Amino acid sequence: MSKTYRVAILGATGAVGTELLELLESRNFPISDLKLLASERSVGRSLSFKGENLLVEPISDRALENVDIVLASAGSSTSKKWATIAVEKGAVVIDNSSAFRMNPEVPLVVPEVNPQAAASHKGIIANPNCTTILMTVAVWPLHQVKSVQRIIAATYQSASGAGAKAMAEVKTQASAILQGQEPIAEILPYPLAFNLFPHNTPINDFGYCEEEMKMVNETRKIFGTQQIRITATCVRVPVLRAHSEAINLEFETPFSPETAREILSNSPGVKLVEDWQANHFPMPIEATGKDEVLVGRIRQDISHPCGLELWLCGDQIRKGAALNAVQIAELLVEKNLLKPAVAYVSQ
Ligand code: A2P
C-alpha cells in the first residue's frame, strides 16, 4: 500500500485554507488523517472533506501532535508563534505567510522554478508571496534561455490577497454603491469597489511598500541571484481573486517575442493566451479557478532593443498560494524529503 500522511491545515477557515482543503481532495493527496485548525472564533464550525464533515479545532500544542505536514495560512504572527512548535513535534511546515520567507535557513520554493531548494529544509518551507509566484513561473523559463538583467513590474492585485473578509467587503461595498449608499471600508483601508489604490502594506524609506519589496527580494532568492535589478509598483484593484501583472523584461541581447512565445507555450504552469485578432489576452475572470498562470501580449518593447513586454493573470488563491503549497507537499512526498526535522531555525 502506498504511504499516507497526517496533514493539518492551519487557517482552514480562511480564503487560502478552504482552497487548500479543496486541492487536497481534488488532487487526491495521500492523507491518513486531516486536522482543520483555526482560531477560537471558529470553534463549532465544520468543513467538508471527501464527503465527511470535519470539525475545526482551535490551534494548540496538542492539536499539532501526530502531524506529518502542516499547511499554514493564518498570517505571519500565527506562523511565527506555531511553526517552530509544529516542527519540534515532528512536522514539516509549508508556510504561506511572510514570516520565514527571507530567513536564509528556510527554502522559498516555486516547484516549477527551484524544486531542488526544498531538499535543504530544516522543517519549514516558505511559500512565496502571490505576485512573486505568478511572475517567477512566467519569467523563469525565459531566464533559462537568456539571463534577465532587469524586471519592471506593475501589479493589479485582487481583494483575495487580503483574505476572505476583504473579498466579502468588496461585494458589500459594490452593492452599497449601486444602492446609492456610502461604501464602508473596515478590512481594507479604503473602499476598493469601483476604485483602486496602491498596495496597503507599510512603506519603507525609499518609498517602496512591503509588497513591492517582496517581489524584489523573493524573486532574487527564488532565482538564486542577487544580480537581477527589479522594481515594482503594486496596486489593489476591485477584482475578487486573480492578480494581473504587466512585466517589462530587459535582457543583454534582444529576445524575440516569437522565441518567448514558443518557450512559454511549453513551460510548466504557464498557459499562453494570445488572440491578437480578437484582442483577447489573459483576464482575471478567465484565470480564476485555473491552475496555470495565463501569459500573453508578448511584444517587443519599442523603447529598448533588448526589452520584452508581457502581461499575465493568475489565480491568487490557487497558484498564488494554496496550489503552490500543495505542489510543495507533493514534491516532498514524491522525493521522499519529509525527513524528521532537525532542531530549528532562528527567527
Ligand atoms: P478564524 O476563521 O478562526 O479567524 P483569511 O486570510 O481569509 O482572513 O483567513 C485567515 C485564517 O487564519 C482563518 O482560518 C483564521 O481563522 C486563521 N487565523 C487568524 N488568526 C489566527 C490565530 N491567531 N490563530 C489561529 N488561526 C488564526
Side-chain angles (χ1 to χ4, degrees):
M1 215 177 92
S2 58
K3 209 163 175 244
T4 54
Y5 302 87
R6 300 164 300 178
V7 176
I9 301 177
L10 173 54
T13 52
V16 174
T18 48
E19 195 72 15
L20 284 166
L21 194 62
E22 194 280 312
L23 284 164
L24 291 174
E25 177 165 343
S26 62
R27 294 170 76 90
N28 214 11
F29 191 82
I31 291 179
S32 57
D33 180 55
L34 181 61
K35 288 187 190 184
L36 305 182
L37 309 176
S39 77
E40 295 283 348
R41 293 180 289 272
S42 296
V43 170
R45 282 190 65 183
S46 64
L47 296 167
S48 159
F49 182 72
K50 295 195 170 173
E52 231 186 292
N53 274 340
L54 302 181
L55 267 183
V56 178
E57 291 176 56
I59 178 74
S60 68
D61 277 64
R62 249 189 80 203
L64 291 171
E65 270 159 23
N66 304 315
V67 174
D68 300 309
I69 303 170
V70 176
L71 296 162
S73 190
S76 187
S77 55
T78 307
S79 286
K80 278 186 184 145
K81 180 164 175 200
W82 293 105
T84 44
I85 296 172
V87 174
E88 277 159 21
K89 290 180 181 295
V92 172
V93 177
I94 301 168
D95 183 35
N96 250 297
S97 81
S98 59
F100 301 98
R101 286 182 191 148
M102 294 313 295
N103 185 322
E105 293 179 77
V106 175
L108 184 64
V109 176
V110 178
E112 291 87 345
V113 177
N114 62 340
Q116 74 290 345
S120 65
H121 80 81
K122 296 176 178 171
I124 299 180
I125 297 178
N127 209 40
N129 163 267
C130 45
T131 44
T132 308
I133 294 177
L134 303 177
M135 181 169 81
T136 56
V137 167
V139 174
W140 178 252
L142 304 175
H143 182 63
Q144 295 312 283
V145 176
K146 276 185 195 182
S147 291
V148 177
Q149 307 291 303
R150 183 173 184 222
I151 303 175
I152 305 170
T155 71
Y156 306 70
Q157 299 185 217
S158 59
S160 55
K165 289 184 184 132
M167 294 166 81
E169 180 168 278
V170 176
K171 289 187 194 167
T172 312
Q173 289 169 350
S175 105
I177 291 169
L178 292 175
Q179 289 167 45
Q181 293 157 8
E182 279 297 304
I184 296 166
E186 281 169 340
I187 305 298
L188 292 164
Y190 309 106
L192 189 58
F194 303 105
N195 189 28
L196 53 81
F197 46 83
H199 201 278
N200 52 297
T201 38
I203 294 175
N204 71 13
D205 292 344
F206 308 113
Y208 280 69
C209 71
E210 256 176 21
E211 186 82 354
E212 291 159 352
M213 291 315 297
K214 285 175 188 172
M215 292 189 81
V216 174
N217 296 324
E218 293 182 22
T219 301
R220 287 176 171 163
K221 179 167 174 179
I222 295 161
F223 279 17
T225 172
Q226 293 301 308
Q227 302 312 314
I228 305 177
R229 290 172 291 141
I230 305 171
T231 181
T233 301
C234 293
V235 176
R236 279 207 194 281
V237 297
V239 168
L240 282 181
R241 60 172 279 170
H243 287 353
S244 305
E245 302 179 28
I247 311 279
N248 180 282
L249 302 171
E250 187 185 322
F251 300 89
E252 221 161 28
T253 54
F255 203 130
S256 85
E258 295 71 32
T259 309
R261 215 165 271 134
E262 198 182 318
I263 292 164
L264 288 171
S265 58
N266 292 302
S267 298
V270 173
K271 184 170 181 222
L272 204 63
V273 176
E274 278 199 322
D275 183 343
W276 290 88
Q277 301 240 304
N279 210 333
H280 178 218
F281 300 106
M283 287 185 278
I285 50 170
E286 292 185 354
T288 295
K290 300 252 169 48
D291 286 352
E292 297 89 2
V293 178
L294 311 185
V295 183
R297 288 207 85 211
I298 301 166
R299 61 206 191 280
Q300 163 78 50
D301 172 355
I302 54 169
S303 74
H304 195 292
C306 304
L308 192 70
E309 295 276 3
L310 57 86
W311 169 254
L312 65 82
C313 295
D315 188 314
Q316 184 271 330
I317 302 180
R318 224 169 160 88
K319 182 57 188 169
L323 174 62
N324 198 72
V326 171
Q327 287 173 316
I328 294 172
E330 290 169 347
L331 180 70
L332 295 179
V333 165
E334 192 188 305
K335 303 279 183 209
N336 201 19
L337 296 173
L338 276 170
K339 58 189 180 237
V342 291
Y344 198 65
V345 165
S346 50
Q347 285 184 19

